Amino acid sequence: MRVGVIGGGQLARMMVPPAVELGVELAVLGEAPDASARIAVTTVGDYRDADVVLAFARGVDVITFDHEHVPQEVLHALVDAGVVVRPGPDALRHAQDKLVLRERLQGLGVPQPEWARVADAEELGAFIERVGGRAVVKTPRGGYDGHGVRIVSSAHEADDWLADGPLLAEEVVEFRRELAQLVARRPSGEVAMWSLVETVQGDGVCREVFAPAPHATARVERVAREIAHTVAEALGVTGVLAVELFETFDERVLVNELAMRPHNSGHWTIDGAVTSQFEQHLRAVLDLPLGSPDAIAPWSAMVNVLGGPADGDLDRRVPRLMADQPAAKLHLYGKTTRPGRKIGHVTATGDDLDDAVFVARAAAAFFED
Amino acid sequence: MRVGVIGGGQLARMMVPPAVELGVELAVLGEAPDASARIAVTTVGDYRDADVVLAFARGVDVITFDHEHVPQEVLHALVDAGVVVRPGPDALRHAQDKLVLRERLQGLGVPQPEWARVADAEELGAFIERVGGRAVVKTPRGGYDGHGVRIVSSAHEADDWLADGPLLAEEVVEFRRELAQLVARRPSGEVAMWSLVETVQGDGVCREVFAPAPHATARVERVAREIAHTVAEALGVTGVLAVELFETFDERVLVNELAMRPHNSGHWTIDGAVTSQFEQHLRAVLDLPLGSPDAIAPWSAMVNVLGGPADGDLDRRVPRLMADQPAAKLHLYGKTTRPGRKIGHVTATGDDLDDAVFVARAAAAFFED
């Protein structure tokens, strides 16, 4: 069993442990020899170059991804060459282009914010008026972690982006909180879902995740599962799909975004579930039966380590963290520190959510200045 | 933080996942490019060759081991060159030579079977007579998994081995069961112990492990912990130490053997404890504060996969196992199948020991013919 992963970031890196345990040979196409997933990097090259990717794909049973940025032309070149690609190009389009996603979700009747495709300032102005004077505009492609997202209240505030093509405009959803429903689906159709989780964002970046989502009503949980199931099935997703959701004050559940790969909202599963999202992703793309997504403890809390100490010296912080929080599970991504960069995360599990949150936050705080 | 591991077997392989998660760079000196730990092999060479080992050790912060076979001369060459070696040569001698161990344990007053150093058939005959007509003879060095162990009832049954030097003779202990106490110790002296476990052997090879040891009395647990603590401390062990024990029918606890590295009796900790023996070993040899050894579930059961299917085809068995036992945690060592060879293990955890044992056995059975 050989899996090739395009992209050498932390998601590829975190596939290494389950690959080692399952006896799966992992090969990674990394951007640089010192990529986060460097221990598994077998090729260094540009994922936008079809020749590089085709050469890399030789000898693996399936190609999957650390990120969703591989161009459709390259994906189709792989498929045309007989390479098994999971998720496939048609599914991935929905994670690559937010306009494609919105159109598709509308066709499926999946609840989502009000939205429009706006090609110019006039259309944007009309949409802003329709949704009450403020709108979110998003570049359809290439946005992540808050990049490519802007809140506007007048027609000309996105002229710079509109010069490059149409944008997605969405209503500003007044939400109680953000949730995420992770699901894994294998080609045979089997799906497995972890608990619905609550995600806490700051500056557009995921900061904390609580699993399961505290005080979620049975209805919200059911709707989230139905949405994830519908989307995974209809889009033909293989592997892990993360559905990021808004929970509104009137208990509606609206789809915010999708990711077709392991996702920050599922990092808690490494320590908190029988089968982690990374193991499940490998199983799913290899079309192996899925593992149990059950939690191993009543509560898990995950806190991201962002930026890291200004002095860049992680090695001095780690011993202090370990001495202070012996039950915290530390995950470092082998990256250099940089303001705002996700360089690791900490998870704690237990019978009490407050305790788990305390441990995870206390541990992560050792990397702050 | 860079750790160099001498030996590329499954123990080195299972250090890879925690190294990846902790941000520790792992380098492995493997016997062959296709060693079990191949993903982390940076040097292929002979661990008995001091030049090879010295070159490998350059650039790592500490050297540790997948096995205890590195010759003392090589270990001392490392130490003389200023390399940090954990556990060190003086500690390792006790895991390399069973006569050295027995003498030392006697000096420490640690309970162990009756034993003697026998240099010839006459001495062996006298010992057999003294312990009731039967004795276990062991080659002091190089034995493992039942190799180098023989039960004899007359003086000349070990002449072939005696030709190579003195042997260790031990009474045949009538034991109720075998136990193991794992402990981790770091250079600063901090120790952490997992639950006492029961180990089930067959043909001299570990077959199953139950954690914690069912129905162990508080006294037995206390004595096992005291023994492990005494041995780790007195021998100056750094890293994981496995103390294999006999529990006799009259509830004595006797030391059978030691291993100074992660050990089969601790594989359950990967899935069953907050900190696995492999993570703890890395922390200990790096002199980092130790993680919590607490169990994450009331019971864990580990079953070894020995030999594997005669057709050698693991890939056809894995999907059946996964479909049948979605909660079983499968660990394969990337080895080819061979009768009796440890090629993997399965762990199950839960609130009920019988259920966990059932799941682990049912899963492992998919590799039998």
Side-chain angles (χ1 to χ4, degrees):
Chain A
M1 299 186 291
R2 290 183 58 86
V3 174
V5 184
I6 300 183
Q10 67 259 29
L11 302 179
R13 179 186 180 98
M14 288 186 271
M15 291 179 203
V16 171
V20 165
E21 300 295 359
L22 291 177
V24 170
E25 302 286 334
L26 206 65
V28 170
L29 171 60
E31 303 72 47
D34 67 344
S36 178
R38 53 191 167 273
I39 192 173
V41 167
T42 54
T43 304
V44 174
D46 186 344
Y47 60 81
R48 293 164 301 188
D49 183 331
D51 291 336
V52 168
V53 176
L54 280 164
F56 169 70
R58 232 167 267 144
V60 305
D61 297 316
V62 58
I63 285 287
T64 190
F65 307 94
D66 169 77
H67 58 69
E68 293 126 339
H69 309 318
V70 181
Q72 283 283 323
E73 312 84 79
V74 174
L75 297 172
H76 281 288
L78 286 168
V79 171
D80 292 347
V83 176
V84 180
V85 178
R86 290 177 183 151
D90 292 342
L92 272 172
R93 281 177 62 234
H94 302 87
Q96 292 179 324
D97 189 313
K98 294 183 173 73
L99 280 168
V100 170
L101 175 66
R102 286 293 178 223
E103 275 158 28
R104 186 62 189 275
L105 293 182
Q106 184 159 312
L108 292 170
V110 168
Q112 56 181 342
E114 275 204 68
W115 68 280
R117 174 195 175 96
V118 295
D120 54 35
E122 192 181 349
E123 288 181 11
L124 178 56
F127 182 79
I128 291 171
E129 196 167 333
R130 175 151 76 87
V131 296
R134 283 201 319 155
V136 184
V137 290
K138 296 179 177 177
T139 55
R141 295 166 160 277
Y144 68 98
D145 282 356
H147 298 276
V149 177
R150 190 181 291 171
I151 295 185
V152 298
S153 51
S154 65
H156 288 284
E157 287 179 58
D159 285 352
D160 51 339
W161 287 354
L162 280 166
D164 295 328
L167 300 175
L168 169 64
E170 297 177 356
E171 66 172 319
V172 179
V173 176
E174 297 294 328
F175 55 84
R176 172 184 288 151
R177 59 178 175 174
E178 294 188 66
L179 304 171
Q181 178 64 58
L182 256 74
V183 54
R185 182 175 177 276
R186 59 188 283 227
S188 68
E190 186 190 4
V191 298
M193 292 199 211
W194 292 271
S195 310
L196 181 69
V197 301
E198 177 175 342
T199 66
V200 179
Q201 326 282 322
D203 298 328
V205 179
C206 178
R207 299 294 174 117
E208 300 187 335
V209 174
F210 312 131
H215 311 297
T217 64
R219 199 192 69 82
V220 165
E221 288 181 344
R222 182 174 52 74
V223 171
R225 294 173 73 87
E226 284 174 2
I227 290 172
H229 199 286
T230 298
V231 171
E233 194 75 26
L235 273 49
V237 178
T238 45
V240 168
L241 168 73
V243 184
E244 296 184 81
L245 301 160
F246 296 123
E247 182 184 344
T248 65
F249 288 98
D250 55 349
E251 278 203 3
R252 284 177 304 140
V253 177
L254 306 176
V255 174
N256 178 15
E257 302 205 344
L258 295 190
M260 277 183 208
R261 47 168 172 77
H263 186 254
N264 203 160
S265 63
H267 289 356
W268 69 276
T269 60
I270 300 174
D271 306 297
V274 173
T275 308
S276 78
Q277 64 168 346
F278 299 100
E279 175 175 344
Q280 201 77 296
H281 189 75
L282 293 175
R283 288 180 181 232
V285 301
L286 284 164
D287 202 13
L288 291 169
L290 301 179
S292 164
D294 290 351
I296 61 145
W299 295 102
S300 294
M302 192 253 13
V303 176
N304 276 340
V305 177
L306 293 176
D311 62 9
D313 192 349
L314 297 176
D315 288 1
R316 281 193 309 138
R317 313 296 178 111
V318 169
R320 297 182 204 164
L321 179 166
M322 289 177 168
D324 197 62
Q325 299 297 338
K329 299 305 296 179
L330 173 64
H331 304 264
L332 288 175
Y333 306 155
K335 295 179 171 183
T336 52
T337 62
R338 199 171 63 204
R341 192 182 203 191
K342 288 181 190 169
I343 62 161
H345 73 268
V346 181
T347 302
T349 61
D351 293 332
D352 184 271
L353 175 60
D354 288 342
D355 288 350
V357 172
F358 177 85
V359 169
R361 282 184 188 158
F366 279 91
F367 295 105
E368 289 168 14
D369 270 332
Chain B
M1 299 185 290
R2 291 183 56 87
V3 174
V5 185
I6 300 183
Q10 68 260 29
L11 301 179
R13 179 187 180 96
M14 287 187 273
M15 290 178 203
V16 172
V20 165
E21 300 295 359
L22 291 178
V24 170
E25 304 285 332
L26 206 67
V28 171
L29 171 60
E31 304 72 49
D34 67 343
S36 178
R38 53 190 166 274
I39 192 173
V41 168
T42 53
T43 304
V44 174
D46 187 343
Y47 60 81
R48 295 164 299 188
D49 184 331
D51 291 335
V52 167
V53 175
L54 279 164
F56 169 71
R58 233 168 268 143
V60 305
D61 297 316
V62 57
I63 285 287
T64 190
F65 307 93
D66 170 77
H67 58 68
E68 292 125 340
H69 309 319
V70 180
Q72 283 283 322
E73 311 85 78
V74 175
L75 297 172
H76 281 289
L78 284 169
V79 171
D80 292 347
V83 176
V84 179
V85 178
R86 292 179 180 149
D90 292 342
L92 272 171
R93 280 176 63 235
H94 302 87
Q96 292 179 324
D97 189 312
K98 295 183 172 73
L99 280 168
V100 170
L101 175 66
R102 287 294 179 219
E103 276 159 27
R104 185 65 188 273
L105 293 183
Q106 185 159 311
L108 292 170
V110 168
Q112 54 179 345
E114 275 205 67
W115 68 280
R117 173 193 175 97
V118 296
D120 54 35
E122 193 179 348
E123 288 181 10
L124 179 56
F127 182 79
I128 291 170
E129 197 165 333
R130 174 152 75 87
V131 295
R134 282 198 322 154
V136 184
V137 289
K138 296 179 176 176
T139 55
R141 294 166 160 276
Y144 69 98
D145 282 356
H147 299 276
V149 176
R150 191 182 289 171
I151 294 185
V152 300
S153 51
S154 66
H156 287 285
E157 287 178 58
D159 284 353
D160 52 339
W161 287 353
L162 282 165
D164 295 327
L167 300 175
L168 169 64
E170 299 177 353
E171 68 172 317
V172 179
V173 175
E174 297 294 330
F175 56 83
R176 173 184 287 152
R177 60 178 175 173
E178 293 187 68
L179 304 171
Q181 179 64 58
L182 256 73
V183 54
R185 182 176 178 276
R186 59 188 283 226
S188 69
E190 185 191 4
V191 298
M193 293 200 210
W194 293 270
S195 310
L196 181 70
V197 302
E198 178 175 342
T199 65
V200 180
Q201 325 283 323
D203 299 328
V205 179
C206 178
R207 300 296 174 115
E208 299 186 337
V209 173
F210 312 131
H215 311 296
T217 64
R219 200 193 68 84
V220 165
E221 288 181 343
R222 183 173 50 75
V223 171
R225 294 173 73 87
E226 283 173 3
I227 291 172
H229 199 285
T230 299
V231 172
E233 194 73 27
L235 273 50
V237 178
T238 44
V240 168
L241 168 73
V243 184
E244 297 185 80
L245 301 160
F246 296 123
E247 181 183 343
T248 66
F249 288 99
D250 54 350
E251 277 201 5
R252 284 178 304 140
V253 177
L254 306 175
V255 173
N256 179 16
E257 301 205 344
L258 295 190
M260 276 182 209
R261 48 170 170 77
H263 187 253
N264 203 160
S265 63
H267 288 357
W268 69 276
T269 59
I270 300 174
D271 306 297
V274 173
T275 308
S276 79
Q277 65 168 343
F278 298 100
E279 176 175 344
Q280 202 76 297
H281 188 75
L282 293 176
R283 288 179 181 233
V285 301
L286 284 164
D287 201 14
L288 291 170
L290 301 179
S292 164
D294 290 351
I296 60 145
W299 295 101
S300 294
M302 192 254 11
V303 177
N304 275 339
V305 177
L306 294 175
D311 63 10
D313 192 350
L314 297 175
D315 288 0
R316 281 193 310 139
R317 313 296 179 110
V318 169
R320 296 182 204 165
L321 178 167
M322 289 179 168
D324 198 62
Q325 299 297 338
K329 297 306 297 179
L330 172 64
H331 304 264
L332 289 174
Y333 305 156
K335 294 178 170 183
T336 53
T337 63
R338 196 170 67 205
R341 190 182 205 194
K342 287 181 191 171
I343 61 160
H345 73 269
V346 181
T347 301
T349 61
D351 294 332
D352 184 272
L353 176 59
D354 289 342
D355 288 349
V357 172
F358 177 85
V359 169
R361 283 186 187 155
F366 279 90
F367 296 104
E368 290 168 12
D369 269 333

